[in-house]
Amino acid sequence: MARPGWGSLFGCFGSTSHGGSKSSRKKTKTKAKTKKKKKGSKQQQKVALSGMVSPEDLSLSLVGSNLHAFTIAELRAITRDFSMTNFIGEGGFGPVYKGNVDDKTKPGLRAQPVAVKLLDLEGGQGHTEWLTEVIFLGQLRHPNLVKLIGYCYEDEHRLLVYEFMTRGSLEKHLFKKYAASLPWSTRLKIAIGAAKGLAFLHEAEKPVIYRDFKTSNILLDSDYKAKLSDFGLAKDGPEDDETHVSTRVMGTQGYAAPEYIMTGHLTAKSDVYGFGVVLLELLSGRRSVDKSRPPREQSLVEWARPYLTDARRLDRVMDPNLAGQYSGRAAHKAAAVAHQCVSLNPKSRPHMSAVVEALEPLLALDDCLVGPFVYVAPPEEDKDGDAGNKGGSSGRRGRRRSRDGAAAAVVRPES
């Protein structure tokens, strides 16, 4: 779907883009004037970013987006006045509540559960991020992007209304202590869905850099279909002959690309790095940064990188909770993709469309599972030293049988 950039929406929003070499940035005075005009004056940018966009202007700019403008009274009604019984969770943006909407709430709105995100005015994010989310998700539609249904822009209130994602975030399923472990095929399905979402953003008519790719921003529906959410840090990609967007370094530790942290130069390859980190988390069941681990294992990327291209040592990376129930060939290929994505050289990282092409065939691989081998505990002996079951063999013979692989308890092979 064609999407206007910031500038065409408000005439004063724009990413600060730069070319690669000094010579290319000094071509002609005419080009410099054109760029200056495209970016708008600093004063204009300050006005826009400080929130000097009226609800009417926003509504006009979103004509054709099918977004509904809710009143705060309507959102209080559908969340039962933001009752704690409707509370889902809270992030950097603010608290999220579950609600239900239908045609009575807004004409033409089908009956469905929704998630209502309320901007915490004292939180880490603010009006600018809220506005960014409305603009991007108001214009972008894809099966692997969470659907924004509407928003509320009334007095000091800033809220967003999304489709309700039944299973919550990927982070919850991977890292919560009491969550059931995700099966291998489900992990692959999630990785492919998230990759498709990024590929769509990067290859849109006006490319978008997501900038905050991480497990907590990947939401799952009832069938574990992955959808990207939280576009508050998204940026329009570089235009024309520009190579990157220069911006203040923002994001989450462990997921941000090294070159972006060092220079503030943002490209689509910055998102590819973040995807590689999430793919590693899916493979390993480990967080991108874990201070509770030994010093050499705290950074997932640095610890895992040496093992990813070594088939004999890859099992050290794989999540023990998988209990060996995964395709060895698929794991090796997925690890190779992750290794490419987290390359220190951005030019060595693949495009997200290539990542999708590499991962999709892995769902069909059903070669012999890696482990587990089986073990039979020796039968208990009675007081006389005989086997507990009549006609059973001695404990010693039972142990010998267990080495032959008779069926019993599942044990993961040692690496």
Side-chain angles (χ1 to χ4, degrees), residues 6-39:
W6 288 102
S8 59
L9 286 168
F10 297 120
C12 45
F13 276 91
S15 303
T16 306
S17 303
H18 296 282
S21 65
K22 290 183 179 179
S23 59
S24 65
R25 294 199 298 269
K26 296 180 179 179
K27 284 186 178 179
T28 63
K29 288 184 178 180
T30 304
K31 188 169 182 179
K33 286 181 181 178
T34 304
K35 287 185 179 180
K36 190 173 182 180
K37 195 172 182 180
K38 280 170 69 178
K39 294 173 188 173

Short mmCIF file of all heavy atoms in Angstrom, two decimals, residues 6-39:
data_model
loop_
_atom_site.label_atom_id
_atom_site.label_comp_id
_atom_site.label_asym_id
_atom_site.label_seq_id
_atom_site.Cartn_x
_atom_site.Cartn_y
_atom_site.Cartn_z
N TRP A 6 6.47 11.39 6.26
CA TRP A 6 6.15 12.40 7.26
C TRP A 6 5.91 13.76 6.60
O TRP A 6 4.98 14.47 6.92
CB TRP A 6 7.31 12.54 8.23
CG TRP A 6 7.48 11.41 9.15
CD1 TRP A 6 8.40 10.41 9.06
CD2 TRP A 6 6.72 11.13 10.32
NE1 TRP A 6 8.26 9.54 10.10
CE2 TRP A 6 7.25 9.96 10.89
CE3 TRP A 6 5.66 11.76 10.95
CZ2 TRP A 6 6.74 9.41 12.05
CZ3 TRP A 6 5.17 11.21 12.12
CH2 TRP A 6 5.70 10.05 12.65
N GLY A 7 6.82 14.14 5.69
CA GLY A 7 6.76 15.47 5.10
C GLY A 7 5.45 15.72 4.40
O GLY A 7 4.88 16.80 4.51
N SER A 8 4.95 14.73 3.67
CA SER A 8 3.72 14.93 2.91
C SER A 8 2.50 14.96 3.82
O SER A 8 1.44 15.44 3.44
CB SER A 8 3.56 13.83 1.86
OG SER A 8 3.53 12.57 2.47
N LEU A 9 2.63 14.43 5.04
CA LEU A 9 1.50 14.45 5.96
C LEU A 9 1.38 15.78 6.67
O LEU A 9 0.31 16.34 6.80
CB LEU A 9 1.66 13.33 7.01
CG LEU A 9 1.38 11.93 6.48
CD1 LEU A 9 1.84 10.90 7.50
CD2 LEU A 9 -0.08 11.74 6.18
N PHE A 10 2.49 16.31 7.15
CA PHE A 10 2.43 17.53 7.93
C PHE A 10 3.34 18.64 7.39
O PHE A 10 3.34 19.74 7.90
CB PHE A 10 2.82 17.25 9.39
CG PHE A 10 1.88 16.31 10.06
CD1 PHE A 10 2.34 15.11 10.58
CD2 PHE A 10 0.54 16.59 10.15
CE1 PHE A 10 1.46 14.25 11.20
CE2 PHE A 10 -0.34 15.73 10.77
CZ PHE A 10 0.13 14.55 11.29
N GLY A 11 4.13 18.33 6.37
CA GLY A 11 4.97 19.35 5.79
C GLY A 11 6.17 19.71 6.64
O GLY A 11 6.96 20.57 6.30
N CYS A 12 6.31 19.08 7.79
CA CYS A 12 7.43 19.45 8.65
C CYS A 12 8.04 18.24 9.33
O CYS A 12 8.99 18.37 10.09
CB CYS A 12 6.99 20.47 9.68
SG CYS A 12 5.41 20.08 10.45
N PHE A 13 7.50 17.05 9.11
CA PHE A 13 8.14 15.84 9.61
C PHE A 13 9.11 15.35 8.56
O PHE A 13 8.78 15.31 7.38
CB PHE A 13 7.11 14.73 9.87
CG PHE A 13 6.46 14.82 11.20
CD1 PHE A 13 5.29 15.53 11.36
CD2 PHE A 13 7.03 14.23 12.30
CE1 PHE A 13 4.68 15.62 12.59
CE2 PHE A 13 6.42 14.31 13.53
CZ PHE A 13 5.25 15.01 13.68
N GLY A 14 10.26 14.91 8.96
CA GLY A 14 11.21 14.35 8.00
C GLY A 14 12.37 13.72 8.68
O GLY A 14 12.79 14.15 9.73
N SER A 15 12.92 12.64 8.09
CA SER A 15 14.12 12.01 8.61
C SER A 15 15.32 12.77 8.09
O SER A 15 15.32 13.27 6.98
CB SER A 15 14.19 10.55 8.13
OG SER A 15 13.04 9.86 8.54
N THR A 16 16.37 12.83 8.88
CA THR A 16 17.59 13.48 8.46
C THR A 16 18.47 12.45 7.80
O THR A 16 19.02 11.58 8.45
CB THR A 16 18.32 14.09 9.68
OG1 THR A 16 17.40 14.94 10.35
CG2 THR A 16 19.51 14.89 9.23
N SER A 17 18.59 12.51 6.47
CA SER A 17 19.32 11.51 5.71
C SER A 17 20.62 12.08 5.20
O SER A 17 20.76 13.28 4.98
CB SER A 17 18.48 11.02 4.54
OG SER A 17 17.25 10.52 5.00
N HIS A 18 21.60 11.20 4.99
CA HIS A 18 22.90 11.61 4.51
C HIS A 18 23.43 10.64 3.49
O HIS A 18 23.18 9.45 3.57
CB HIS A 18 23.91 11.69 5.68
CG HIS A 18 23.54 12.74 6.68
ND1 HIS A 18 23.76 14.07 6.49
CD2 HIS A 18 22.92 12.64 7.89
CE1 HIS A 18 23.33 14.75 7.55
NE2 HIS A 18 22.81 13.89 8.40
N GLY A 19 24.21 11.14 2.55
CA GLY A 19 24.88 10.28 1.59
C GLY A 19 26.14 9.72 2.19
O GLY A 19 26.54 10.08 3.28
N GLY A 20 26.83 8.85 1.43
CA GLY A 20 28.00 8.17 1.97
C GLY A 20 29.23 9.02 2.04
O GLY A 20 29.82 9.20 3.09
N SER A 21 29.71 9.58 0.94
CA SER A 21 30.98 10.28 0.94
C SER A 21 30.79 11.78 1.05
O SER A 21 29.74 12.33 0.76
CB SER A 21 31.74 9.97 -0.36
OG SER A 21 31.02 10.48 -1.45
N LYS A 22 31.86 12.50 1.44
CA LYS A 22 31.80 13.95 1.56
C LYS A 22 31.57 14.59 0.20
O LYS A 22 30.86 15.56 0.07
CB LYS A 22 33.10 14.47 2.18
CG LYS A 22 33.24 14.11 3.65
CD LYS A 22 34.51 14.73 4.24
CE LYS A 22 34.64 14.40 5.72
NZ LYS A 22 35.88 14.99 6.28
N SER A 23 32.20 14.04 -0.83
CA SER A 23 32.06 14.62 -2.16
C SER A 23 30.62 14.57 -2.64
O SER A 23 30.13 15.49 -3.28
CB SER A 23 32.96 13.90 -3.16
OG SER A 23 32.62 12.53 -3.21
N SER A 24 29.93 13.47 -2.34
CA SER A 24 28.54 13.33 -2.80
C SER A 24 27.62 14.29 -2.08
O SER A 24 26.54 14.61 -2.55
CB SER A 24 28.05 11.90 -2.62
OG SER A 24 28.00 11.58 -1.26
N ARG A 25 28.04 14.77 -0.89
CA ARG A 25 27.21 15.69 -0.13
C ARG A 25 27.45 17.13 -0.53
O ARG A 25 26.83 18.04 -0.01
CB ARG A 25 27.46 15.50 1.37
CG ARG A 25 27.01 14.16 1.90
CD ARG A 25 26.85 14.19 3.40
NE ARG A 25 28.09 14.49 4.10
CZ ARG A 25 28.93 13.55 4.52
NH1 ARG A 25 28.67 12.29 4.28
NH2 ARG A 25 30.01 13.88 5.16
N LYS A 26 28.44 17.35 -1.43
CA LYS A 26 28.77 18.71 -1.84
C LYS A 26 28.64 18.88 -3.34
O LYS A 26 29.46 19.53 -3.98
CB LYS A 26 30.20 19.04 -1.41
CG LYS A 26 30.40 19.05 0.10
CD LYS A 26 31.84 19.38 0.45
CE LYS A 26 32.05 19.41 1.95
NZ LYS A 26 33.45 19.70 2.29
N LYS A 27 27.65 18.25 -3.92
CA LYS A 27 27.55 18.24 -5.38
C LYS A 27 27.24 19.63 -5.92
O LYS A 27 28.01 20.17 -6.70
CB LYS A 27 26.47 17.24 -5.82
CG LYS A 27 26.96 15.80 -5.73
CD LYS A 27 25.93 14.87 -6.32
CE LYS A 27 26.44 13.43 -6.25
NZ LYS A 27 25.45 12.49 -6.79
N THR A 28 26.11 20.22 -5.56
CA THR A 28 25.74 21.54 -6.06
C THR A 28 24.93 22.28 -5.02
O THR A 28 24.33 21.68 -4.13
CB THR A 28 24.87 21.43 -7.34
OG1 THR A 28 23.67 20.77 -6.99
CG2 THR A 28 25.59 20.69 -8.44
N LYS A 29 24.93 23.64 -5.16
CA LYS A 29 24.13 24.45 -4.25
C LYS A 29 22.65 24.18 -4.45
O LYS A 29 21.85 24.21 -3.53
CB LYS A 29 24.42 25.93 -4.49
CG LYS A 29 25.78 26.37 -4.00
CD LYS A 29 25.93 27.86 -4.17
CE LYS A 29 27.27 28.32 -3.63
NZ LYS A 29 27.45 29.79 -3.80
N THR A 30 22.30 23.87 -5.69
CA THR A 30 20.90 23.60 -6.01
C THR A 30 20.39 22.39 -5.23
O THR A 30 19.32 22.40 -4.65
CB THR A 30 20.73 23.34 -7.52
OG1 THR A 30 21.24 24.44 -8.23
CG2 THR A 30 19.26 23.13 -7.86
N LYS A 31 21.22 21.31 -5.24
CA LYS A 31 20.83 20.09 -4.54
C LYS A 31 20.74 20.36 -3.04
O LYS A 31 19.85 19.86 -2.36
CB LYS A 31 21.85 18.98 -4.81
CG LYS A 31 21.39 17.64 -4.28
CD LYS A 31 22.28 16.54 -4.79
CE LYS A 31 21.76 15.19 -4.28
NZ LYS A 31 22.56 14.08 -4.77
N ALA A 32 21.65 21.18 -2.52
CA ALA A 32 21.63 21.49 -1.10
C ALA A 32 20.35 22.23 -0.73
O ALA A 32 19.75 21.98 0.31
CB ALA A 32 22.85 22.34 -0.75
N LYS A 33 19.93 23.15 -1.61
CA LYS A 33 18.70 23.89 -1.36
C LYS A 33 17.49 22.96 -1.39
O LYS A 33 16.57 23.10 -0.60
CB LYS A 33 18.53 24.99 -2.40
CG LYS A 33 19.48 26.17 -2.19
CD LYS A 33 19.24 27.23 -3.26
CE LYS A 33 20.20 28.40 -3.07
NZ LYS A 33 20.00 29.43 -4.13
N THR A 34 17.52 22.00 -2.33
CA THR A 34 16.42 21.05 -2.45
C THR A 34 16.29 20.23 -1.18
O THR A 34 15.21 20.01 -0.65
CB THR A 34 16.64 20.11 -3.66
OG1 THR A 34 16.79 20.91 -4.82
CG2 THR A 34 15.46 19.17 -3.83
N LYS A 35 17.45 19.74 -0.69
CA LYS A 35 17.44 18.93 0.53
C LYS A 35 16.93 19.74 1.71
O LYS A 35 16.17 19.27 2.54
CB LYS A 35 18.84 18.41 0.83
CG LYS A 35 19.30 17.30 -0.09
CD LYS A 35 20.63 16.77 0.36
CE LYS A 35 21.09 15.62 -0.54
NZ LYS A 35 22.38 15.08 -0.12
N LYS A 36 17.38 21.02 1.76
CA LYS A 36 16.97 21.88 2.86
C LYS A 36 15.47 22.07 2.84
O LYS A 36 14.79 22.07 3.87
CB LYS A 36 17.69 23.22 2.76
CG LYS A 36 17.52 24.11 3.99
CD LYS A 36 18.40 25.34 3.89
CE LYS A 36 18.27 26.20 5.14
NZ LYS A 36 19.12 27.40 5.06
N LYS A 37 14.93 22.24 1.64
CA LYS A 37 13.49 22.44 1.48
C LYS A 37 12.74 21.19 1.89
O LYS A 37 11.68 21.24 2.51
CB LYS A 37 13.20 22.79 0.02
CG LYS A 37 11.80 23.36 -0.21
CD LYS A 37 11.68 23.86 -1.63
CE LYS A 37 10.30 24.47 -1.84
NZ LYS A 37 10.16 24.96 -3.23
N LYS A 38 13.26 20.01 1.53
CA LYS A 38 12.61 18.74 1.84
C LYS A 38 12.56 18.50 3.35
O LYS A 38 11.59 18.00 3.89
CB LYS A 38 13.35 17.59 1.16
CG LYS A 38 13.02 17.41 -0.31
CD LYS A 38 13.96 16.44 -0.98
CE LYS A 38 13.74 15.04 -0.49
NZ LYS A 38 14.61 14.09 -1.18
N LYS A 39 13.62 18.86 4.01
CA LYS A 39 13.68 18.61 5.45
C LYS A 39 12.85 19.60 6.24
O LYS A 39 12.38 19.30 7.33
CB LYS A 39 15.14 18.68 5.93
CG LYS A 39 16.02 17.58 5.37
CD LYS A 39 17.45 17.84 5.76
CE LYS A 39 18.38 16.87 5.05
NZ LYS A 39 19.78 17.19 5.27
#
